[in-house]
Amino acid sequence: MESPILKTLYIVRHGQTELNKLGIVQGRGRDTDLNDEGRRQASQFFDAYQKVPFDKIYISKLKRTQQSIQQFIDLGIPFEKLSGLDELAWGVLEGQPSTPANRAAFLKLIRNWLAGKLDTKFEGGESPNEVKERQLEALKTIMSHPEEKNVLICMHGRAMRLFMCVLLNKPLTEMETFPHQNLVLYKVTWDGSKYEIVDFNNAQHLR
């Protein structure tokens, strides 16, 4: 007999911002707005999922997440901001132009993480292990409401990769196995004992 689904999490990345478009790292320290393309993506996602009976919405403290799902909030669905859902802080690299040197530094840091050096970070930034700690706090809050059966979560690219590892109990070194683009969906169910991805990196609503 199959276990009953106790909760379904619809986890999306925010829509496109101008810094996304330019390939500039924004992170936790850059509170940017969606651009025209990002607002279009938000509308496409709303059109595709507005019939889902969401009980609650959880977003990060950064406005690009709220802007991405504002149309759901406008339906009267309650929402809560959790700093645990914020993007990883990239420190000194945030907002810097996408130069060969900056890209090389970024790739070197990612390689360190994938090699298991999960405490490494840029000056003024956060490590994957630090992000995991605050994500566990956010998850505790989200899962402490059994009455919320369908939950919409809007967060950020790198944070989302880490969050998927946290949910599936995978080492953070597997973060790159979770691709994403702006306003892509991961749908995850919880049956009381395990999380399972039932919709992986779904971008059909953006076509």
Side-chain angles (χ1 to χ4, degrees):
M1 193 177 133
E2 282 192 18
S3 305
I5 300 305
L6 300 180
K7 197 184 283 276
T8 304
L9 307 176
Y10 292 74
I11 305 166
V12 294
R13 186 186 176 204
H14 63 80
Q16 190 185 78
T17 67
E18 212 47 38
L19 291 190
N20 286 150
K21 187 178 170 182
L22 298 171
I24 293 172
V25 173
Q26 51 194 343
R28 195 179 191 182
R30 288 282 178 274
D31 199 9
T32 49
D33 291 291
L34 298 190
N35 62 13
D36 289 342
E37 175 63 16
R39 287 188 288 272
R40 190 174 72 86
Q41 292 164 341
S43 289
Q44 287 175 307
F45 179 72
F46 178 73
D47 290 345
Y49 289 93
Q50 60 180 308
K51 297 286 194 289
V52 176
F54 291 117
D55 299 300
K56 184 79 177 275
I57 296 168
Y58 292 94
I59 55 178
S60 80
K61 298 268 185 163
L62 301 164
K63 60 188 175 184
R64 53 190 180 271
T65 59
Q66 181 168 342
Q67 290 171 359
S68 298
I69 47 83
Q70 184 63 47
Q71 288 168 281
F72 292 93
I73 293 171
D74 291 344
L75 295 176
I77 301 167
F79 73 101
E80 188 173 340
K81 295 181 182 183
L82 299 175
S83 58
L85 298 176
D86 285 0
E87 179 60 301
L88 178 139
W90 297 98
V92 291
L93 207 66
E94 291 186 10
Q96 296 301 312
S98 180
T99 62
N102 286 341
R103 285 197 296 277
F106 180 84
L107 289 172
K108 182 183 175 189
L109 183 64
I110 303 290
R111 279 196 297 271
N112 276 329
W113 291 348
L114 301 185
K117 298 173 186 170
L118 294 163
D119 290 312
T120 53
K121 57 187 174 181
F122 285 126
E123 184 190 335
E126 289 178 295
S127 70
N129 280 335
E130 287 172 324
V131 173
K132 179 181 179 178
E133 285 310 304
R134 58 178 173 83
Q135 288 187 345
L136 286 169
E137 284 300 308
L139 185 60
K140 202 158 79 179
T141 300
I142 293 166
M143 300 307 288
S144 68
H145 299 281
E147 73 284 0
E148 296 168 11
K149 303 296 183 193
N150 289 298
V151 172
L152 176 58
I153 298 170
C154 188
M155 54 191 305
H156 305 263
R158 181 58 52 178
M160 190 173 175
R161 287 180 151 155
L162 296 170
F163 195 54
M164 298 311 294
C165 292
V166 169
L167 290 179
L168 300 177
N169 206 18
K170 289 179 178 288
L172 299 184
T173 50
E174 293 187 28
M175 64 179 92
E176 294 294 312
T177 58
F178 300 103
H180 61 73
Q181 62 194 71
N182 288 112
L183 248 161
V184 78
L185 169 71
Y186 279 87
K187 188 175 165 185
V188 179
T189 57
W190 166 251
D191 66 4
S193 62
K194 69 177 188 305
Y195 293 94
E196 185 181 353
I197 297 180
V198 292
D199 215 347
F200 181 93
N201 195 36
N202 184 343
Q204 284 175 319
H205 49 277
L206 299 175
R207 294 201 177 119

